[in-house]
Amino acid sequence: MTTIADILKLPRYSDLKLLTNANLVDTHKTIESVEISETPDIEFYIPANVLLLTTAMTYANDQDGLIPLIDSLIRAKTIGLGIKTGRFLGKIKPEVIEYAEKVNFPLFEIPNTYSLGSLMHQLLNKIWGTRYEEISFALDIQKRFFNLLIQNATNQIVINKLSQIVKTPIILLNPFKEIMDYSKHFNLSSNPAQHYVNEIVQKIEQIPKERDSFIIKNPKGHEIQVSLVPIKVHTYFPHYLVIVNPEQIPYPISSFAIDQAAMVLSFVLFKNEKVSESQQSIETEYFKELIDYHSSSNAPVRAFELNVKYGYVLSNYYQVVHVFDEAALEDSLLNLNQEERLVLASQWLQKHVSEYFTNGLVIFFSVTKETLILIQQEVEDLDEKLLDIRNQLHETLDIQLIFSVANPYTDWKRINQSYTEAKLVFDERRSKHQTQPIIHYKDKGMVQLFHHLEKNDVRFFCENILKDFAYPKEPVLIELRKTLSVYLGAQCEIASAASALFVHRNTVKYRILRCEEILGHSVNSPSHSLNLRLALALSEESY
């Protein structure tokens, strides 16, 4: 048993428009057949309980003639009338619609995109309950979404089309569970899409990963079902379609429509990412050119200026921060999972860097998957902001970022120096497997001269100068070594050292005396002081 109400509820026919009041549709009148006719005296040829489809071409210049047609169809016990507009009738006159409502006769509009022959066969298959209808619908859905792909449709258009077909709200999320687009259902402030996303993010931590459907609460506090459909742009970190009330979509309609929409969205999103990567590669090449230009001693005569098109600004502060994933630190050859994590981390930084650093730029190296943040305005709480970024990525994608921080410079021509320092810190932390979240560059000065010496020679020098303080294990010796280092760094001023160590002046005096007893000489003399500073710095390298 199929009624007009049943047909109009089907997502497949979501673009059939009921012109008369929905209350006029008699849910008890069963459609026994579907006919196509352009004959004005159809009442003499049509059987009862038929749904009639027509282009109404006979009434193209006289729509008032549709009124007596409606009367004749009522006498013939016709279920309703569907008129295809666009070819012969541009728009059905309000007077005709008002009359149909007056006499309680269902009238609906068929878009010009339909073939009446195909529509009749589809409806007959629905009425007669054949399997062909499901196959036909699948092909129809595939065609609709394929056309959207050919037309270069946006995410928004695809989502609205899917929502129209399945008649339920839909949200598109990126891998970070952030909203990219949503259907028109969420345009009202009383029904914000973000509420559903917040509920999903809270719930998703509590449910098994193999489940893709669960219960959340809508803004009014009522429990509703939502389903997450992965969109595979990345292998390990998909985008998601959020389908609200999926249980209300009849099978197999939901499966056909959603699968086709997911396929189209995967192509659209993939294409958009490739376009973004292309633009990003241009920006990266410009950064490389900037670095090479100012690093070369044989720089061309032509002037090299900052390109504001890529986000560079004239400032008195430039600082480079190298960004990488802790999990990929020890692997020189990255696997696909690690590559995707680094790509997504860079994408997240591109989107959110301005929230942390004014005029901040993100540069991504596609081959090594390394990311740089170029800070172009002084930041007082740099480490706090970097840790906040680390926490955000850890919460959303379980990515543990590590930062290698260079010194800031006042001239943009020295960005190359800051970049070199950041790379040195990263290369050193990689060779020593240092996973601290943040490591700052320290100018090693004279220590650099000893880098090519044998380690045993360096160790002998440190032990000879520092004695028990060279590589201490005992807490007392470690504390004395720290005091000695701070004291020498404070130019042997007890007050400054005490302030830096947060201890009393007398404590510093006592500890320095103990150091001198162990070393066997005064630490204040210039010759001893230089050796002590050098030995402390060299032993720190492997301490």
Side-chain angles (χ1 to χ4, degrees):
M1 293 176 58
T2 302
T3 66
I4 290 181
D6 294 331
I7 290 172
L8 294 176
K9 286 178 183 177
L10 292 173
R12 158 160 222 177
Y13 305 115
S14 57
D15 45 3
L16 296 182
K17 183 180 179 182
L18 183 64
L19 300 175
T20 49
N21 194 303
N23 296 328
L24 299 183
V25 178
D26 191 337
T27 56
H28 299 291
K29 288 186 177 180
T30 302
I31 302 172
E32 294 182 3
S33 185
V34 181
E35 298 278 352
I36 299 173
S37 178
E38 307 295 344
T39 307
D41 56 349
I42 185 66
E43 76 169 292
F44 302 111
Y45 309 101
I46 193 170
N49 301 321
V50 165
L51 179 64
L52 182 63
L53 310 180
T54 182
T55 65
M57 63 179 180
T58 307
Y59 307 97
N61 299 317
D62 180 24
Q63 284 201 37
D64 292 337
L66 288 169
I67 292 176
L69 174 66
I70 290 172
D71 289 335
S72 68
L73 293 176
I74 292 173
R75 290 192 296 270
K77 297 183 180 180
T78 304
I79 299 295
L81 176 64
I83 301 176
K84 178 178 176 179
T85 58
R87 185 176 181 186
F88 299 106
L89 269 65
K91 189 175 182 181
I92 300 173
K93 293 173 64 173
E95 293 85 352
V96 176
I97 299 172
E98 289 173 8
Y99 184 79
E101 287 188 338
K102 180 181 176 181
V103 296
N104 298 330
F105 186 74
L107 186 66
F108 60 91
E109 181 181 2
I110 303 170
N112 193 41
T113 53
Y114 275 91
S115 160
L116 289 187
S118 297
L119 180 59
M120 182 183 73
H121 285 294
Q122 292 167 9
L123 294 175
L124 286 173
N125 281 314
K126 166 62 182 172
I127 293 166
W128 296 335
T130 64
R131 179 66 179 170
Y132 173 78
E133 164 59 14
E134 293 181 3
I135 300 171
S136 174
F137 175 66
L139 294 173
D140 184 44
I141 288 293
Q142 186 180 55
K143 182 178 178 181
R144 290 195 202 184
F145 282 106
F146 180 75
N147 287 338
L148 290 178
L149 184 61
I150 296 299
Q151 295 162 12
N152 202 25
T154 63
N155 298 336
Q156 182 72 65
I157 292 174
V158 176
I159 287 171
N160 278 328
K161 175 57 71 174
L162 175 61
S163 180
Q164 180 188 23
I165 291 171
V166 299
K167 295 184 179 179
T168 193
I170 293 175
I171 305 170
L172 176 63
L173 303 180
N174 64 20
F176 311 107
K177 310 298 188 300
E178 298 170 338
I179 296 174
M180 295 184 69
D181 281 299
Y182 50 77
S183 60
K184 296 176 181 178
H185 301 79
F186 300 103
N187 288 342
L188 299 175
S189 58
S190 60
N191 191 38
Q194 190 60 52
H195 169 85
Y196 295 84
V197 177
N198 293 341
E199 287 279 311
I200 290 168
V201 170
Q202 291 178 12
K203 202 80 172 180
I204 206 168
E205 302 295 332
Q206 307 167 11
I207 63 172
K209 289 188 176 181
E210 60 272 13
R211 283 184 54 191
D212 61 356
S213 186
F214 44 90
I215 302 297
I216 64 170
K217 290 185 177 180
N218 67 14
K220 294 182 179 179
H222 301 149
E223 289 190 343
I224 61 170
Q225 185 177 352
V226 296
S227 181
L228 288 184
V229 179
I231 308 294
K232 289 295 185 74
V233 180
H234 301 281
T235 303
Y236 295 97
F237 303 95
H239 292 64
Y240 290 97
L241 272 180
V242 178
I243 313 294
V244 181
N245 295 323
E247 76 284 358
Q248 296 180 9
I249 311 172
Y251 180 85
I253 292 167
S254 58
S255 176
F256 290 149
I258 292 170
D259 285 350
Q260 290 301 317
M263 181 185 71
V264 171
L265 281 170
S266 67
F267 279 114
V268 173
L269 292 168
F270 181 78
K271 179 204 70 176
N272 291 343
E273 283 211 3
K274 291 305 173 186
V275 171
S276 178
E277 285 176 14
S278 177
Q279 175 61 31
Q280 198 173 55
S281 66
I282 295 173
E283 296 170 4
T284 302
E285 286 304 314
Y286 174 80
F287 180 82
K288 290 178 180 178
E289 190 177 352
L290 184 153
I291 296 302
D292 292 343
Y293 181 89
H294 291 291
S295 299
S296 174
S297 58
N298 299 316
V301 177
R302 68 178 181 84
F304 193 99
E305 299 296 336
L306 282 184
N307 195 328
V308 295
K309 181 175 70 173
Y310 301 134
Y312 294 86
V313 298
L314 288 175
S315 172
N316 61 354
Y317 192 94
Y318 297 96
Q319 185 174 23
V320 174
V321 178
H322 183 284
V323 184
F324 209 67
D325 180 21
E326 180 182 316
L329 184 64
E330 297 185 12
D331 300 316
S332 56
L333 186 62
L334 301 174
N335 59 41
L336 181 59
N337 183 290
Q338 291 170 334
E339 286 189 1
E340 287 189 2
R341 291 162 71 94
L342 290 165
V343 169
L344 287 170
S346 182
Q347 289 178 358
W348 189 93
L349 286 170
Q350 287 275 5
K351 185 176 180 181
H352 295 279
V353 67
S354 60
E355 299 170 16
Y356 296 90
F357 308 112
T358 304
N359 298 320
L361 290 181
V362 175
I363 297 99
F364 180 68
F365 294 85
S366 58
V367 176
T368 60
K369 302 297 184 288
E370 297 173 58
T371 299
L372 302 178
I373 301 175
L374 176 60
I375 302 171
Q376 301 184 94
Q377 184 170 314
E378 188 171 359
V379 182
E380 294 182 0
D381 52 350
L382 175 59
D383 283 13
E384 290 181 22
K385 290 186 174 181
L386 293 178
L387 288 174
D388 187 30
I389 290 172
R390 174 182 164 95
N391 292 336
Q392 288 292 329
L393 264 297
H394 180 58
E395 289 176 8
T396 54
L397 283 185
D398 195 27
I399 295 175
Q400 293 272 34
L401 293 184
I402 52 176
F403 305 95
S404 304
V405 184
N407 288 324
Y409 291 91
T410 58
D411 188 351
W412 67 270
K413 296 181 179 66
R414 299 197 67 187
I415 291 176
N416 67 307
Q417 180 65 31
S418 191
Y419 165 73
T420 301
E421 292 174 359
K423 278 289 291 177
L424 284 172
V425 175
F426 173 69
D427 292 341
E428 185 173 339
R429 75 147 73 219
R430 188 170 225 175
S431 65
K432 296 182 178 180
H433 309 301
Q434 297 171 327
T435 57
Q436 301 97 306
I438 303 171
I439 299 180
H440 288 261
Y441 176 81
K442 294 179 182 178
D443 191 350
K444 298 182 174 65
M446 290 182 61
V447 175
Q448 296 279 13
L449 301 175
F450 292 80
H451 272 187
H452 299 293
L453 293 180
E454 289 289 335
K455 288 186 177 180
N456 289 336
D457 293 339
V458 173
R459 187 176 185 89
F460 175 78
F461 171 77
C462 293
E463 290 175 343
N464 185 50
I465 298 296
L466 295 174
K467 306 296 191 289
D468 296 343
F469 300 135
Y471 306 98
K473 302 295 183 184
E474 299 175 16
V476 174
L477 291 174
I478 293 172
E479 191 63 40
L480 286 175
R481 174 191 166 102
K482 179 180 178 182
T483 301
L484 176 61
S485 179
V486 172
Y487 178 71
L488 291 172
Q491 308 303 319
C492 299
E493 292 183 2
I494 290 178
S496 298
S499 176
L501 292 166
F502 301 102
V503 297
H504 194 271
R505 290 165 53 96
N506 291 338
T507 302
V508 175
K509 286 182 180 180
Y510 170 75
R511 290 178 181 176
I512 293 302
L513 287 174
R514 288 283 295 119
C515 288
E516 290 179 339
E517 290 176 6
I518 293 171
L519 295 170
H521 57 74
S522 170
V523 300
N524 293 331
S525 67
S527 58
H528 287 139
S529 175
L530 176 61
N531 285 335
L532 288 171
R533 287 169 184 263
L534 187 56
L536 284 167
L538 287 170
S539 58
E540 188 71 32
E541 290 281 292
S542 56
Y543 174 51

